[in-house]
Amino acid sequence: MYPFFAGGTLRGNTAGPFSTIQDAQVYGRSVNSNLSGHLTLLVNPGTSGPITFNASDSGTNGWDVIYKSTSLAGHSSSGLQTVTGWTLHSGSIYRAQVGIGLPFHALYEDGVRARKTRFPKLVIDPSFPKAFAPYLSATGVASSSTVLRHAVAALDTTGWNIPATEIVTWDGGVSGSGGSMSWFMGIAPVSSYSAGAREFTLTRPTRYTIHNGGIGCRFFAQGYGIPEEAGEFYYDSSTGYLYYWPVGNIATAVIQIPTSGTKSVVTFQGTDASTEVNHVVLDGFVIEGGDFTGDYRYAFPNAGDGGGSPTYPEYDRVISLAAHRAGGVFMRFANHCRVERCKIRRHGYHGVFLDRDATENRFSENLTESVGLAGYYFDGPYPGDGDTCHSNVVDNCRVQDFGELASGEGIRIMQSGNNAITNTHSRRGPANGFFGGAGVVDLPVNTMYLVNNRMDRWLIEDVNQDRGDVGAMGVGGYSSKPAGPFVINYFTNGRIDGSRAHASMTDFPPDGVFTDNQSAGQVLTNIKVSDVQGSAIRVAGDSGNHTVTNCSWGAFDEALLAADIGVRSDFPY
């Protein structure tokens, strides 16, 4: 017998746990209006579909509604569906009918992410397994953000489905190092291709120019046709056929794809700031299977592109586009909610995404892995428009294998303050283990909400495998100038071991700690940096005046570092 308890008082049906989270949700809504204690709703091992919690699911009187799997990671909230009915197409390529006009952007074979058909073919370097190399280099068009020219004989598009083709870029042209800029990746659909001019025309502008200062961006093409090697897939939306070249035996492999349109799997979302979802807890679940997109760009190219009437529209060049505000766990108008002891995995976007209005939520003892972008992304509001994303906690959590589809960080915090990041471990990614910033400069410091974040007992390993001009731990762009006043954040008891990029990356080599422009006055204490390609610390010209105590690029005593850096011994995974 598995009763449901509220403050020690038996409530509800004692016949046994629920079969799905949705069944538990229905029951919870019927009894949560006046709680006198925490309400625990047990869920048996199994699978539920994606779920949304709103204000009607909230705890009351300060008590929580707790959804708990009866066995750790025994129940999955999943956006994935299994593909069956495979028939041999040709050679080692199989196909299955999955439906016409249902785009999706991921495929997993026995839980391992496959990739869209691409050129040039991915070559995994054991030293840099999260790099996307090799690449081609754009040879033009100078200063263009929509037309990409490639070299003679660089590729042959004969037989390609051009309308299905996507171009993946590290756009930006020449960098300060004289190489190709490597700040952000983008994925742009192709509207047309001219074989004579060797030019792809994209459906929309890239974030930065494609070719500038005599240097072209790194790029590859994907999604254009039938797989050409093991581990590649192609979906023909006009016929509904999915083509796949399996790595293993198609007869025994479990092949899964996201349900079309499922970007976030578990959503905590109130109606507005006056009707928030609060005091809802998920404990011990697997959260998996959010999809991605074939058209991804980090932010707008220009101030004002986002529309509306923000106080400082220059933040358009930093804030996430509405279409990409998604994660395995998504929160907006949410407070005092918790996600704990969960496996958050196999997502196209972020593992966890906090969207502008989210306060005092907690994430603890979670394993986040195999995500397309960042593990955790706290995306606060426009400068000066109200401090509405703050005081959240990430504790005793590991993020690994992040940024698998574009440049995402282990943890990224933008315009969000008073957060506590404790006992975290970020490892294996193409970009930073941690970044905090606002991405805008020369604004009043009281509009900068990235303040008083405290990051303690953190471990970052094997990051920046495909990115340059960054640090394993980085901050920047929040109007904190060397002369003050400072917008201060605190970084204590940290270890960085591995911040190196693949040889195809020709921007500035990645550093250990990088404080970019207008991030002056930070407090750095007890930090050890090793195995970095650039410098242990790099301070941009419009930064500095940090308070540095016992860090390995100066006077340093390793014995002063905390003993429990990274996840604690009670981490469940």
Side-chain angles (χ1 to χ4, degrees):
M1 305 289 278
Y2 293 85
F4 312 101
F5 289 96
T9 301
L10 180 64
R11 298 186 59 145
N13 183 356
T14 61
F18 295 103
S19 298
T20 67
I21 304 173
Q22 285 81 359
D23 290 341
Q25 181 184 43
V26 170
Y27 177 79
R29 287 176 174 177
S30 72
V31 298
N32 67 340
S33 61
N34 190 25
L35 294 178
S36 58
H38 298 313
L39 174 65
T40 300
L41 305 175
L42 300 177
V43 183
N44 261 335
T47 302
S48 299
I51 190 166
T52 296
F53 297 104
N54 59 37
S56 64
D57 297 297
S58 297
T60 47
N61 303 321
W63 300 106
D64 296 328
V65 177
I66 303 169
Y67 295 79
K68 185 172 184 177
S69 176
T70 58
S71 64
L72 186 65
H75 192 100
S76 173
S77 179
S78 178
L80 296 174
Q81 57 181 318
T82 300
V83 180
T84 58
W86 294 97
T87 59
L88 184 65
H89 172 66
S90 65
S92 298
I93 303 167
Y94 291 80
R95 73 176 188 176
Q97 179 61 237
V98 296
I100 293 173
L102 300 173
F104 54 90
H105 303 277
L107 183 148
Y108 302 92
E109 178 182 347
D110 293 331
V112 177
R113 190 188 298 276
R115 59 192 174 276
K116 294 181 180 181
T117 308
R118 63 162 276 178
F119 186 87
K121 296 303 173 193
L122 178 68
V123 178
I124 297 176
D125 185 331
S127 298
F128 303 96
K130 294 304 171 183
F132 296 88
Y135 296 92
L136 302 175
S137 293
T139 60
V141 171
S143 302
S144 177
S145 296
T146 56
V147 182
L148 183 151
R149 182 185 301 139
H150 63 83
V152 176
L155 55 82
D156 180 359
T157 61
T158 301
W160 284 23
N161 180 355
I162 293 299
T165 301
E166 301 158 3
I167 301 297
V168 183
T169 61
W170 286 95
D171 43 88
V174 68
S175 73
S177 70
S180 177
M181 222 165 101
S182 295
W183 288 2
F184 301 108
M185 293 184 79
I187 304 171
V190 172
S191 63
S192 64
Y193 176 71
S194 169
R198 310 186 312 280
E199 292 177 354
F200 292 98
T201 299
L202 310 180
T203 59
R204 49 86 181 154
T206 53
R207 174 64 175 80
Y208 297 99
T209 54
I210 291 167
H211 188 280
N212 192 36
I215 298 291
C217 69
R218 297 184 291 163
F219 79 94
F220 62 86
Q222 68 179 20
Y224 51 79
I226 302 295
E228 297 161 339
E229 66 177 13
E232 291 187 338
F233 73 93
Y234 167 68
Y235 169 62
D236 187 337
S237 63
S238 65
T239 65
Y241 276 109
L242 168 62
Y243 297 83
Y244 182 53
W245 186 327
V247 175
N249 186 342
I250 196 74
T252 57
V254 177
I255 310 297
Q256 294 177 300
I257 59 174
T259 303
S260 183
T262 300
K263 295 180 179 180
S264 298
V265 176
V266 174
T267 298
F268 297 78
Q269 185 163 6
T271 305
D272 52 35
S274 64
T275 314
E276 295 193 325
V277 56
N278 64 83
H279 290 279
V280 176
V281 180
L282 278 186
D283 180 2
F285 293 90
V286 174
I287 302 169
E288 64 181 353
D291 201 7
F292 194 46
T293 178
D295 185 357
Y296 174 74
R297 182 181 64 203
Y298 176 75
F300 295 98
N302 306 296
D305 285 351
S309 302
T311 305
Y312 295 100
E314 49 264 59
Y315 198 65
D316 285 340
R317 302 186 72 249
V318 182
I319 198 163
S320 297
L321 303 186
H324 308 319
R325 295 178 167 271
V329 176
F330 174 90
M331 289 188 179
R332 189 173 190 203
F333 299 123
N335 70 79
H336 293 92
C337 293
R338 305 200 315 267
V339 177
E340 51 196 27
R341 301 194 312 152
C342 288
K343 285 187 175 182
I344 305 168
R345 66 188 186 189
R346 300 173 193 157
H347 294 288
Y349 282 96
H350 310 281
V352 173
F353 188 86
L354 270 56
D355 183 8
R356 291 167 290 178
D357 298 88
T359 61
E360 298 185 79
N361 302 290
R362 183 179 182 90
F363 306 90
S364 59
E365 300 183 89
N366 299 316
L367 172 63
T368 302
E369 60 184 346
S370 187
V371 293
L373 298 175
Y376 289 82
Y377 196 142
F378 296 178
D379 203 8
Y382 279 77
D385 285 1
D387 185 6
T388 57
C389 184
H390 59 80
S391 307
N392 299 288
V393 174
V394 180
D395 176 63
N396 201 24
C397 291
R398 174 175 286 141
V399 179
Q400 61 190 24
D401 303 318
F402 53 89
E404 290 191 331
L405 297 176
S407 52
E409 299 85 354
I411 299 172
R412 184 177 182 88
I413 298 180
M414 300 293 290
Q415 274 290 79
S416 176
N418 291 291
N419 301 292
I421 313 295
T422 56
N423 287 104
T424 58
H425 183 192
S426 297
R427 63 182 180 186
R428 298 197 299 265
N432 320 56
F434 172 86
F435 180 79
V440 288
V441 296
D442 297 326
L443 299 186
V445 293
N446 64 351
T447 69
M448 296 290 99
Y449 305 131
L450 188 101
V451 61
N452 199 36
N453 291 294
R454 295 177 182 267
M455 190 169 169
D456 185 37
R457 292 171 169 81
W458 45 276
L459 173 62
I460 296 174
E461 297 180 302
D462 300 323
V463 298
N464 290 325
Q465 294 184 22
D466 211 4
R467 193 176 195 178
D469 201 11
V470 290
M473 191 285 285
V475 292
Y478 43 98
S479 301
S480 187
K481 301 179 183 180
F486 297 142
V487 181
I488 303 175
N489 297 277
Y490 301 83
F491 303 90
T492 59
N493 292 306
R495 286 208 334 256
I496 294 169
D497 186 8
S499 180
R500 293 180 170 275
H502 188 274
S504 64
M505 198 291 297
T506 56
D507 204 339
F508 288 109
D511 304 297
V513 175
F514 179 36
T515 63
D516 207 343
N517 289 319
Q518 297 197 6
S519 62
Q522 305 313 292
V523 177
L524 308 170
T525 307
N526 295 345
I527 299 173
K528 179 182 179 181
V529 176
S530 60
D531 190 24
V532 296
Q533 193 172 3
S535 302
I537 185 170
R538 180 159 66 102
V539 178
D542 201 10
S543 185
N545 276 354
H546 305 307
T547 299
V548 179
T549 304
N550 196 47
C551 293
S552 63
W553 54 87
F556 179 64
D557 182 355
E558 188 167 355
L560 297 179
L561 268 68
D564 58 343
I565 288 176
V567 295
R568 297 187 294 269
S569 59
D570 61 350
F571 183 70
Y573 298 111

